Protein backbone atom coordinates (compact mmCIF):
# COMPACT_ATOMS: atom_id res chain seq x y z
CA UNK A 1 0.00 0.00 0.00
CA UNK A 2 1.41 3.38 -1.00
CA UNK A 3 1.99 5.94 1.71
CA UNK A 4 1.24 9.64 1.64
CA UNK A 5 3.00 11.22 -1.31
CA UNK A 6 3.78 14.88 -1.81
CA UNK A 7 4.88 16.81 -4.88
CA UNK A 8 7.23 18.48 -5.44
CA UNK A 9 9.82 17.52 -2.87
CA UNK A 10 11.45 20.92 -3.18
CA UNK A 11 10.33 24.19 -4.73
CA UNK A 12 12.33 27.38 -5.09
CA UNK A 13 10.39 30.47 -6.18
CA UNK A 14 10.74 34.21 -6.03
CA UNK A 15 8.69 36.45 -3.82
CA UNK A 16 5.39 37.28 -5.49
CA UNK A 17 5.18 34.09 -7.50
CA UNK A 18 2.61 31.35 -7.10
CA UNK A 19 3.30 27.81 -5.98
CA UNK A 20 1.00 24.81 -5.75
CA UNK A 21 1.79 21.87 -3.53
CA UNK A 22 0.09 18.53 -3.96
CA UNK A 23 -0.68 15.73 -1.54
CA UNK A 24 -1.97 12.26 -2.33
CA UNK A 25 -3.23 10.60 0.85
CA UNK A 26 -3.32 6.91 1.58
CA UNK A 27 -6.17 5.35 -0.36
CA UNK A 28 -9.36 5.24 1.67
CA UNK A 29 -8.29 7.83 4.23
CA UNK A 30 -11.05 10.38 4.65
CA UNK A 31 -9.01 12.73 6.81
CA UNK A 32 -6.31 14.87 5.25
CA UNK A 33 -4.22 17.42 7.13
CA UNK A 34 -1.73 20.08 6.12
CA UNK A 35 1.02 21.22 8.48
CA UNK A 36 4.16 23.27 8.09
CA UNK A 37 7.45 23.73 9.89
CA UNK A 38 9.05 27.13 9.57
CA UNK A 39 12.67 27.99 10.45
CA UNK A 40 13.28 24.92 12.61
CA UNK A 41 10.38 25.67 14.90
CA UNK A 42 7.52 23.41 15.85
CA UNK A 43 5.30 21.81 13.24
CA UNK A 44 2.09 23.82 13.04
CA UNK A 45 -1.33 22.77 11.85
CA UNK A 46 -2.78 24.51 8.82
CA UNK A 47 -6.05 22.77 8.01
CA UNK A 48 -8.03 19.56 8.05
CA UNK A 49 -10.25 18.02 5.38
CA UNK A 50 -12.81 15.32 5.92
CA UNK A 51 -13.35 13.97 2.45
CA UNK A 52 -13.82 17.10 0.33
CA UNK A 53 -15.01 19.37 3.15
CA UNK A 54 -12.86 21.68 5.22
CA UNK A 55 -13.33 20.58 8.81
CA UNK A 56 -10.94 23.02 10.41
CA UNK A 57 -8.96 25.75 8.71
CA UNK A 58 -8.05 27.67 11.83
CA UNK A 59 -4.33 27.35 11.17
CA UNK A 60 -4.28 28.95 7.73
CA UNK A 61 -2.10 32.04 8.15
CA UNK A 62 -3.88 34.36 5.71
CA UNK A 63 -5.86 34.53 2.50
CA UNK A 64 -2.79 34.00 0.35
CA UNK A 65 -3.16 30.31 1.15
CA UNK A 66 -5.85 28.28 -0.59
CA UNK A 67 -6.40 24.58 -0.04
CA UNK A 68 -8.64 22.30 -2.03
CA UNK A 69 -9.44 18.63 -2.04
CA UNK A 70 -11.07 17.64 -5.27
CA UNK A 71 -13.52 14.78 -4.96
CA UNK A 72 -12.16 13.89 -1.56
CA UNK A 73 -9.00 12.40 -3.02
CA UNK A 74 -5.81 14.39 -3.49
CA UNK A 75 -5.36 17.88 -2.10
CA UNK A 76 -3.55 20.99 -3.29
CA UNK A 77 -2.24 23.91 -1.31
CA UNK A 78 -1.68 27.07 -3.30
CA UNK A 79 0.29 30.04 -2.06
CA UNK A 80 -0.38 33.21 -4.05
CA UNK A 81 1.53 35.46 -3.92
CA UNK A 82 4.34 33.86 -1.98
CA UNK A 83 6.19 35.87 0.66
CA UNK A 84 9.59 35.28 2.25
CA UNK A 85 8.02 34.12 5.52
CA UNK A 86 6.23 31.29 3.70
CA UNK A 87 9.50 29.39 3.40
CA UNK A 88 9.51 26.13 5.28
CA UNK A 89 8.58 22.48 5.00
CA UNK A 90 4.94 21.69 4.27
CA UNK A 91 3.73 18.31 5.45
CA UNK A 92 0.61 16.45 4.52
CA UNK A 93 -0.89 13.69 6.65
CA UNK A 94 -3.87 11.38 6.33
CA UNK A 95 -5.83 9.13 8.63
CA UNK A 96 -8.81 6.85 8.59
CA UNK A 97 -12.26 8.19 9.36
CA UNK A 98 -13.00 6.19 12.49
CA UNK A 99 -12.27 7.69 15.89
CA UNK A 100 -10.13 10.70 15.26
CA UNK A 101 -8.57 10.97 18.69
CA UNK A 102 -7.14 7.46 18.54
CA UNK A 103 -6.20 7.11 14.92
CA UNK A 104 -2.68 7.57 13.66
CA UNK A 105 -1.86 10.26 11.19
CA UNK A 106 0.53 9.11 8.47
CA UNK A 107 2.79 11.76 7.06
CA UNK A 108 4.34 12.39 3.70
CA UNK A 109 7.97 13.35 3.17
CA UNK A 110 7.07 17.01 2.92
CA UNK A 111 7.65 19.77 0.39
CA UNK A 112 10.48 22.15 1.16
CA UNK A 113 9.46 25.61 -0.06
CA UNK A 114 12.10 28.28 -0.46
CA UNK A 115 10.90 31.79 -1.29
CA UNK A 116 13.72 34.08 -2.40
CA UNK B 1 -5.04 25.65 25.30
CA UNK B 2 -3.17 22.43 24.83
CA UNK B 3 0.57 22.50 24.36
CA UNK B 4 3.64 20.33 24.25
CA UNK B 5 7.20 21.23 25.18
CA UNK B 6 10.45 19.53 24.31
CA UNK B 7 13.01 21.23 26.54
CA UNK B 8 16.11 19.98 24.73
CA UNK B 9 16.96 21.06 21.19
CA UNK B 10 19.64 18.39 20.99
CA UNK B 11 20.53 15.19 22.80
CA UNK B 12 23.88 13.48 22.35
CA UNK B 13 24.32 9.83 23.31
CA UNK B 14 27.03 7.25 22.81
CA UNK B 15 26.05 4.10 20.98
CA UNK B 16 24.95 1.38 23.38
CA UNK B 17 23.97 3.81 26.11
CA UNK B 18 20.35 4.40 27.12
CA UNK B 19 18.67 7.44 25.66
CA UNK B 20 15.87 9.71 26.82
CA UNK B 21 14.14 12.41 24.83
CA UNK B 22 11.97 14.58 27.04
CA UNK B 23 8.44 15.81 26.48
CA UNK B 24 6.01 17.59 28.78
CA UNK B 25 2.43 18.45 28.01
CA UNK B 26 -0.32 20.76 29.13
CA UNK B 27 -3.94 19.72 28.57
CA UNK B 28 -7.23 20.32 30.33
CA UNK B 29 -8.30 16.68 30.35
CA UNK B 30 -6.91 13.27 29.45
CA UNK B 31 -4.11 13.57 26.93
CA UNK B 32 -3.68 11.65 23.71
CA UNK B 33 0.07 11.68 23.12
CA UNK B 34 2.23 10.67 20.18
CA UNK B 35 5.89 10.40 19.24
CA UNK B 36 7.07 10.77 15.66
CA UNK B 37 10.56 10.52 14.18
CA UNK B 38 11.94 12.21 11.09
CA UNK B 39 15.00 10.69 9.46
CA UNK B 40 16.99 12.88 7.04
CA UNK B 41 15.07 13.56 3.81
CA UNK B 42 12.16 11.46 5.02
CA UNK B 43 8.68 12.19 6.29
CA UNK B 44 7.48 11.90 9.85
CA UNK B 45 7.14 8.31 10.96
CA UNK B 46 4.85 7.24 13.77
CA UNK B 47 6.68 5.65 16.71
CA UNK B 48 4.09 5.15 19.44
CA UNK B 49 1.04 6.62 21.13
CA UNK B 50 -0.58 6.83 24.53
CA UNK B 51 -4.36 6.90 24.69
CA UNK B 52 -5.19 5.12 27.92
CA UNK B 53 -4.08 2.11 29.93
CA UNK B 54 -0.53 1.15 30.84
CA UNK B 55 1.79 4.03 31.52
CA UNK B 56 4.64 2.33 29.66
CA UNK B 57 3.98 2.27 25.94
CA UNK B 58 6.09 0.23 23.56
CA UNK B 59 6.60 1.29 19.97
CA UNK B 60 8.63 0.76 16.84
CA UNK B 61 12.40 0.21 16.61
CA UNK B 62 12.71 -0.70 20.29
CA UNK B 63 11.47 2.64 21.57
CA UNK B 64 9.16 3.06 24.53
CA UNK B 65 7.64 6.00 26.33
CA UNK B 66 6.54 6.49 29.89
CA UNK B 67 3.39 8.45 30.62
CA UNK B 68 3.57 10.25 33.97
CA UNK B 69 0.38 12.08 34.86
CA UNK B 70 1.70 13.76 38.00
CA UNK B 71 4.68 15.20 36.15
CA UNK B 72 2.70 15.76 32.91
CA UNK B 73 5.48 14.08 30.99
CA UNK B 74 5.76 11.57 28.17
CA UNK B 75 9.48 10.90 27.78
CA UNK B 76 10.75 8.72 24.96
CA UNK B 77 13.28 6.08 25.91
CA UNK B 78 15.42 3.33 24.51
CA UNK B 79 17.65 1.03 26.57
CA UNK B 80 20.51 0.88 24.06
CA UNK B 81 20.97 3.56 21.41
CA UNK B 82 22.04 2.83 17.84
CA UNK B 83 23.82 5.18 15.45
CA UNK B 84 20.84 4.68 13.13
CA UNK B 85 18.57 6.23 15.77
CA UNK B 86 20.07 9.62 14.96
CA UNK B 87 17.13 11.71 13.76
CA UNK B 88 14.70 14.45 14.69
CA UNK B 89 12.06 13.45 17.24
CA UNK B 90 8.72 15.15 17.75
CA UNK B 91 6.26 14.81 20.58
CA UNK B 92 2.63 15.72 19.90
CA UNK B 93 -0.75 15.88 21.60
CA UNK B 94 -4.06 15.41 19.83
CA UNK B 95 -6.43 18.37 20.00
CA UNK B 96 -9.76 17.56 21.62
CA UNK B 97 -11.77 19.78 19.35
CA UNK B 98 -10.75 18.04 16.16
CA UNK B 99 -8.14 15.81 14.70
CA UNK B 100 -5.15 18.10 14.55
CA UNK B 101 -1.86 17.35 16.27
CA UNK B 102 -0.08 19.96 18.36
CA UNK B 103 3.67 19.44 18.16
CA UNK B 104 6.67 20.31 20.23
CA UNK B 105 9.68 21.99 18.64
CA UNK B 106 11.52 18.75 18.06
CA UNK B 107 14.69 17.28 19.53
CA UNK B 108 17.70 16.38 17.42
CA UNK B 109 19.13 13.09 18.63
CA UNK B 110 22.71 12.33 17.76
CA UNK B 111 24.13 8.89 18.54
CA UNK B 112 27.89 8.58 18.11
CA UNK B 113 29.82 5.32 17.75
Amino acid sequence: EAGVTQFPSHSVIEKGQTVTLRCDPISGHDNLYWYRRVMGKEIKFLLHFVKESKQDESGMPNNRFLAERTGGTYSTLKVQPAELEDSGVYFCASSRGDGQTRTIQYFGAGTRLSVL
Amino acid sequence: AQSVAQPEDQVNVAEGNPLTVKCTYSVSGNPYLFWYVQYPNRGLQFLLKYITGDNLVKGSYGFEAEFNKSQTSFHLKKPSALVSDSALYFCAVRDYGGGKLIFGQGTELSVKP
Side-chain angles (χ1 to χ4, degrees):
Chain A
E1 180 183 83
V4 177
T5 54
Q6 292 187 245
F7 305 96
S9 58
H10 194 182
S11 179
V12 181
I13 61 172
E14 293 188 351
K15 176 182 173 181
Q17 289 185 324
T18 298
V19 63
T20 300
L21 313 181
R22 174 170 169 147
C23 170
D24 287 74
I26 294 172
S27 177
H29 281 194
D30 289 338
N31 295 282
L32 188 149
Y33 305 83
W34 284 98
Y35 296 85
R36 73 173 178 177
R37 188 173 190 233
V38 174
M39 291 292 291
K41 295 185 178 179
E42 71 270 25
I43 299 169
K44 286 195 171 181
F45 167 80
L46 295 177
L47 88 158
H48 171 203
F49 284 100
V50 178
K51 296 184 180 178
E52 68 275 8
S53 299
K54 292 177 184 176
Q55 181 79 10
D56 179 0
E57 51 185 330
S58 61
M60 294 288 265
N62 51 61
N63 59 10
R64 294 186 294 104
F65 289 75
L66 175 65
E68 295 179 326
R69 190 178 183 192
T70 306
T73 55
Y74 70 92
S75 174
T76 57
L77 180 64
K78 180 190 289 188
V79 184
Q80 180 182 26
E83 298 289 345
L84 299 178
E85 63 265 26
D86 300 332
S87 297
V89 181
Y90 289 76
F91 291 103
C92 176
S94 71
S95 70
R96 294 177 300 157
D98 52 343
Q100 292 184 20
T101 53
R102 294 172 178 264
T103 56
I104 298 166
Q105 292 183 21
Y106 295 92
F107 283 76
T111 293
R112 182 174 295 277
L113 176 62
S114 300
V115 183
L116 306 179
Chain B
Q2 300 179 91
S3 65
V4 167
Q6 294 180 243
E8 301 159 318
D9 290 335
Q10 182 153 12
V11 171
N12 297 307
V13 177
E15 187 175 30
N17 283 0
L19 70 86
T20 298
V21 183
K22 295 179 180 178
C23 172
T24 59
Y25 64 89
S26 174
V27 301
S28 55
N30 292 323
Y32 299 107
L33 296 159
F34 299 77
W35 274 102
Y36 283 83
V37 58
Q38 185 181 18
Y39 297 103
N41 301 315
R42 303 283 294 276
L44 291 160
Q45 294 182 32
F46 168 77
L47 275 180
L48 48 81
K49 65 178 179 179
Y50 173 82
I51 302 298
T52 187
D54 291 340
N55 290 339
L56 187 64
V57 179
K58 293 190 182 297
S60 306
Y61 312 122
F63 283 92
E64 57 188 27
E66 186 173 9
F67 173 70
N68 188 316
K69 189 172 183 178
S70 63
Q71 297 185 4
T72 62
S73 66
F74 189 55
H75 300 334
L76 182 70
K77 299 181 179 183
K78 187 173 183 180
S80 179
L82 300 173
V83 172
S84 57
D85 292 329
S86 298
L88 189 56
Y89 290 80
F90 291 96
C91 182
V93 65
R94 178 67 61 82
D95 180 66
Y96 289 134
K100 69 184 179 188
L101 291 170
I102 299 165
F103 285 90
Q105 285 190 291
T107 299
E108 185 81 41
L109 173 67
S110 177
V111 182
K112 293 290 174 29

